[in-house]
Amino acid sequence: MLMCTKCKEKIHVKFKFAKDHQVIDIKDVGVHIKTLDFSNLKCSEHTGQSAVMFCTTCDMLVCTSCISKIHNGHGFVEISEGYNIKLETIKTETTKAKEKIKDLTKEKGTISPVDTKDSKQYKDLILKMEAHNIEIKKSADKYTEELKSELKKKWYEFQVGKATRKIERVQDSLNQIILNAEALIQSKEAEKVFIEYKKLSTAVSIDDIDPGTISFLPGQISPYNVGSLQVVSNAVNVHIVKQFQTDISKVGYLSLCADNSLWISDQDVIQKVKPVEHKLTVETAFNIEVYGMAVNPTGDLLLSSGGSVLKQISGTTGKLTDSIYNVDPLAYSAVHVTKDDKVIVGVKSVGKPFPVTGRRAIFVMNQKGEHETIHEHNKNNIRIFACVKSITSTDNGNICVVDKLSEDGRGRVVVLNRDGDILQIYIGYQEVNNADNPFKPVGIVTTPSDNIIVAELNVYIFHILNNCGHLITHINMGDIGISKSYSLCFTRTTGQLYIGCTTGVGSSEKAKLYEVNISGC
């Protein structure tokens, strides 16, 4: 029944069982359904424990362990009161949102067409495009001159070599003819002489075998070397949620398990660790070389240990065995598992990574270990990769590769589409990277919104690219206290980012691991 405040306070209280009735504000009719049961709320920090209070200082539910260990001295209220506080906040924000919509609707009605010619931002973009066009032309002219110089150098060598090879091949052919003729003479077989002499006569007249020629294969102008237009936001916010201390010198490789435990490795040792509160508990460890790792859909960890067969650590038994993934006679470098369960690996010929010799490629394999696609050369049959360091993939099927170019860590990010065509080659941010501070990418990961984060070793910079490899913005991680970022991975459910770091050369310190919230990318 509906009643006024006076009836509620003076008449309704006299009803039989009035103490069991529930009286609510008329504004909450249709919203409030029944008394809420808060007994099933669990603590987010301590698995299995029930929440008993709401911490107003930290704005979160807490259990008895939280109160004694972490929130000692904080302000607390009953969960029901905390719920009402949250509810009032939601109502207030909803009211604000409605008012904002009204204001925006009015503002929208006053917007008039913008004259692009008078827009400074529009003019600046045109100037940037024209400047980049000039740079492309200069680069094309420079490279054309380099090709001319290379042709001039090789032409004489090739022509002399061509003539020499022609003579040698004709000589070899004639020597073989002589041997065949002498054998025919010695045979004293009249019938054979009449049959074979025509063949010998024809063979003697063949005096040229084409050894090939130098050709020019023109390249194609594509969006990756011209650029593209993107609507981007530069508002990226990052803050540290937790910081962990490891007992290894470098978190060079990092992978997340379904139970939120983590595999970390410094290349010589691999550990499975469990983040508990603000500490890491080591659950298991192996002494094995690691050059790349990724967790597959069944929870097994796939490991590149420098051989031609991927190793595998079972997610159920914890046993280390060989997997079904084989690239013999090549050796593995990086490994990545896509959202559609493909295994993408970097491979190279056996031996040292530099100088670059032999084969360098990425293989795409299915869950049976079958090689579905190999990306090794571009359309002009030129090698794409020098040394594949790290791999990620995007929702639109693009493959993003950190390609190490030299022993000192200089590198680039190569983005291929699903057909293997180069979409973009990212070589760093010009305001940060230069001759004195070259681009040295290490870790790479795809964000929940399908952008790409690249960690750089020699500066505290995160490069944020879109899923085609074009720069959106960059973040200085040193501003929030994170230095020497190396490896990256996102949680599957909450979308939080884990960052594995390294230490300085010769340092006795141990590496740190961070859990951060990152928004806007």
Side-chain angles (χ1 to χ4, degrees):
M1 63 180 293
L2 296 173
M3 57 187 171
C4 64
T5 303
K6 187 178 292 186
C7 289
K8 169 181 173 290
E9 293 173 351
K10 294 185 177 181
I11 300 175
H12 181 265
V13 292
K14 297 178 181 179
F15 288 1
K16 188 176 182 181
F17 304 120
K19 62 182 178 60
D20 297 327
H21 291 188
Q22 193 167 9
V23 180
I24 62 173
D25 193 294
I26 193 170
K27 295 193 298 294
D28 294 332
V29 173
V31 176
H32 191 94
I33 300 174
K34 61 180 180 179
T35 303
L36 296 174
D37 181 11
F38 300 111
S39 63
N40 293 324
L41 294 176
K42 299 296 181 182
C43 177
S44 60
E45 292 290 325
H46 298 92
T47 305
Q49 293 203 38
S50 297
V52 294
M53 297 289 282
F54 180 79
C55 177
T56 54
T57 305
C58 300
D59 194 34
M60 64 184 295
L61 294 170
V62 294
C63 66
T64 52
S65 296
C66 288
I67 295 172
S68 61
K69 294 180 180 179
I70 303 173
H71 302 265
N72 189 19
H74 292 188
F76 301 100
V77 296
E78 295 291 335
I79 293 178
S80 57
E81 187 176 344
Y83 172 81
N84 289 330
I85 292 171
K86 290 291 185 185
L87 209 58
E88 287 302 316
T89 301
I90 292 170
K91 291 177 182 177
T92 301
E93 293 301 318
T94 301
T95 302
K96 288 181 181 178
K98 289 178 180 179
E99 292 298 322
K100 186 68 175 177
I101 288 173
K102 289 181 182 178
D103 294 339
L104 291 172
T105 302
K106 291 179 182 178
E107 183 179 344
K108 185 178 178 181
T110 63
I111 295 174
S112 59
V114 178
D115 187 354
T116 56
K117 294 180 180 179
D118 296 330
S119 170
K120 183 179 183 304
Q121 184 181 10
Y122 179 85
K123 290 178 181 177
D124 288 344
L125 288 173
I126 293 294
L127 289 174
K128 285 183 179 180
M129 291 178 193
E130 291 174 345
H132 186 56
N133 185 35
I134 293 171
E135 288 300 316
I136 290 174
K137 290 177 180 178
K138 286 181 180 178
S139 298
D141 290 341
K142 180 181 176 183
Y143 189 64
T144 299
E145 291 304 315
E146 290 175 358
L147 285 176
K148 288 179 181 178
S149 177
E150 184 181 357
L151 175 61
K152 185 176 180 180
K153 180 180 177 182
K154 288 185 176 181
W155 186 256
Y156 175 76
E157 297 174 359
F158 182 82
Q159 292 301 320
V160 172
K162 177 180 179 180
T164 302
R165 288 192 298 274
K166 173 182 175 181
I167 292 171
E168 288 174 350
R169 289 175 179 174
V170 172
Q171 283 177 332
D172 290 341
S173 179
L174 292 173
N175 283 330
Q176 186 60 50
I177 289 170
I178 291 170
L179 290 175
N180 292 341
E182 289 176 347
L184 187 60
I185 293 167
Q186 293 296 326
S187 70
K188 299 186 183 300
E189 297 179 20
E191 184 180 358
K192 195 172 184 180
V193 169
F194 281 107
I195 294 173
E196 298 291 335
Y197 90 95
K198 285 187 178 181
K199 294 181 181 178
L200 292 174
S201 177
T202 303
V204 171
S205 68
I206 298 175
D207 62 355
D208 189 16
I209 300 173
D210 183 17
T213 185
I214 295 178
S215 297
F216 172 67
L217 303 174
Q220 294 181 339
I221 299 297
S222 62
Y224 96 80
N225 49 31
V226 175
S228 64
L229 290 174
Q230 302 284 331
V231 178
V232 299
S233 170
N234 293 329
V236 177
N237 298 308
V238 185
H239 72 270
I240 299 172
V241 177
K242 293 178 183 178
Q243 173 182 313
F244 304 96
Q245 183 69 58
T246 74
D247 61 4
I248 57 179
S249 61
K250 176 176 75 172
V251 185
Y253 304 97
L254 177 63
S255 290
L256 182 72
C257 302
D259 63 354
N260 290 324
S261 58
L262 294 158
W263 285 103
I264 61 174
S265 174
D266 64 356
Q267 191 169 336
D268 297 320
V269 174
I270 184 170
Q271 297 178 341
K272 187 177 185 182
V273 297
K274 185 78 171 181
V276 179
E277 295 181 4
H278 292 269
K279 294 182 179 179
L280 290 179
T281 301
V282 179
E283 297 184 338
T284 185
F286 296 87
N287 293 318
I288 184 173
E289 284 188 307
V290 177
Y291 297 97
M293 63 185 190
V295 175
N296 69 11
T298 60
D300 302 329
L301 182 71
L302 299 177
L303 286 174
S304 164
S305 58
S308 59
V309 178
L310 283 183
K311 300 292 183 182
Q312 177 177 295
I313 299 178
S314 171
T316 52
T317 66
K319 187 177 179 181
L320 175 65
T321 59
D322 285 344
S323 75
I324 61 173
Y325 301 99
N326 192 321
V327 292
D328 187 58
L330 303 174
Y332 284 105
S333 55
V335 56
H336 166 71
V337 178
T338 69
K339 289 183 179 179
D340 57 353
D341 303 338
K342 304 291 185 184
V343 176
I344 305 177
V345 295
V347 300
K348 67 179 187 66
S349 295
V350 175
K352 294 183 178 180
F354 299 101
V356 178
T357 58
R359 297 184 64 185
R360 308 296 170 100
I362 57 174
F363 285 20
V364 181
M365 298 185 280
N366 59 28
Q367 293 184 61
K368 297 178 181 178
E370 298 167 338
H371 300 178
E372 293 189 342
T373 313
I374 297 175
H375 302 302
E376 186 170 4
H377 300 97
N378 64 16
K379 291 181 178 179
N380 292 328
N381 202 34
I382 297 172
R383 188 203 311 268
I384 299 176
F385 306 107
C387 182
V388 177
K389 174 70 178 175
S390 183
I391 305 170
T392 189
S393 60
T394 60
D395 290 345
N396 61 357
N398 293 341
I399 301 173
C400 313
V401 177
V402 171
D403 186 30
K404 187 176 177 182
L405 300 175
S406 61
E407 202 69 68
D408 66 357
R410 297 167 189 253
R412 58 186 185 168
V413 175
V414 180
V415 182
L416 308 179
N417 65 17
R418 61 176 66 250
D419 296 322
D421 297 325
I422 298 175
L423 292 179
Q424 171 73 340
I425 296 179
Y426 179 72
I427 56 174
Y429 182 52
Q430 61 183 3
E431 294 185 16
V432 174
N433 304 113
N434 49 47
D436 298 326
N437 191 31
F439 185 45
K440 295 184 177 181
V442 280
I444 188 168
V445 70
T446 302
T447 72
S449 58
D450 210 36
N451 290 319
I452 304 163
I453 299 178
V454 184
E456 187 177 356
L457 182 60
N458 57 337
V459 292
Y460 305 154
I461 297 294
F462 273 7
H463 301 253
I464 312 297
L465 316 179
N466 67 9
N467 57 17
C468 292
H470 297 282
L471 178 69
I472 296 175
T473 187
H474 71 283
I475 313 169
N476 189 335
M477 299 302 290
D479 291 343
I480 63 168
I482 299 180
S483 62
K484 300 186 183 302
S485 304
Y486 204 99
S487 54
L488 310 166
C489 77
F490 274 96
T491 60
R492 293 178 178 83
T493 53
T494 60
Q496 288 177 311
L497 177 66
Y498 279 106
I499 304 172
C501 299
T502 183
T503 56
V505 177
S507 172
S508 60
E509 296 181 0
K510 300 301 181 182
K512 290 183 172 61
L513 176 70
Y514 294 90
E515 180 185 342
V516 305
N517 278 336
I518 182 166
S519 61
C521 68

